[in-house]
Amino acid sequence: MPARISAAQFVKRLKAQSAAHELESIQRYFKSGKGEYGEGDKFIGVRMGQVCALAKEFIEMPLDEIEKLLESPIHEVRAGGVSIMGQQARSKKTPEARRKRPGPNP
């Protein structure tokens, strides 16, 4: 029986891809300084292309685990959760009932 895919596994893999130079760039782009619109949002320095590529590997993640990603204070983790949901919605392997089901907190 395969191990259950978890939010913790996704976050661990995501953090392994973080880079200090990307973190600086992302924080400037999202205006996360004091008094700016993104103030308080936390980043770890992973490019969105990397986030989306990792999301493809986690397409089988259960909804309760995706919910954990969506509740994260880290921007890239939340973006990963949304990307996984998008991958699932487009996958022909995803049952129709699952596609029509409301999100984790309807």
Side-chain angles (χ1 to χ4, degrees):
M1 182 164 116
R4 188 167 194 256
I5 298 171
S6 73
Q9 293 167 336
F10 181 85
V11 172
K12 182 178 180 181
R13 296 265 313 272
L14 193 64
K15 285 183 175 180
Q17 296 182 32
S18 67
H21 68 280
E22 286 300 329
L23 177 58
E24 287 180 31
S25 176
I26 291 167
Q27 287 175 323
R28 275 193 311 273
Y29 179 81
F30 283 100
K31 310 286 186 222
S32 62
K34 186 166 176 64
E36 296 178 318
Y37 76 87
E39 181 179 1
D41 207 0
K42 296 180 181 177
F43 300 90
I44 58 174
V46 181
R47 296 182 72 105
M48 283 301 116
Q50 293 172 288
V51 172
C52 293
L54 186 59
K56 287 180 185 178
E57 294 180 39
F58 283 78
I59 192 169
E60 306 271 329
M61 185 180 285
L63 214 47
D64 63 324
E65 291 295 311
I66 294 171
E67 183 173 5
K68 292 175 186 175
L69 298 178
L70 298 175
E71 293 172 348
S72 174
I74 300 170
H75 181 90
E76 294 95 333
V77 174
R78 293 190 312 269
V82 171
S83 184
I84 292 169
M85 288 173 55
Q87 294 291 333
Q88 290 178 354
R90 289 187 296 276
S91 175
K92 294 189 187 301
K93 292 181 181 180
T94 303
E96 191 64 27
R98 170 81 183 261
R99 279 183 238 233
K100 291 183 177 183
R101 182 177 166 196
N105 287 319

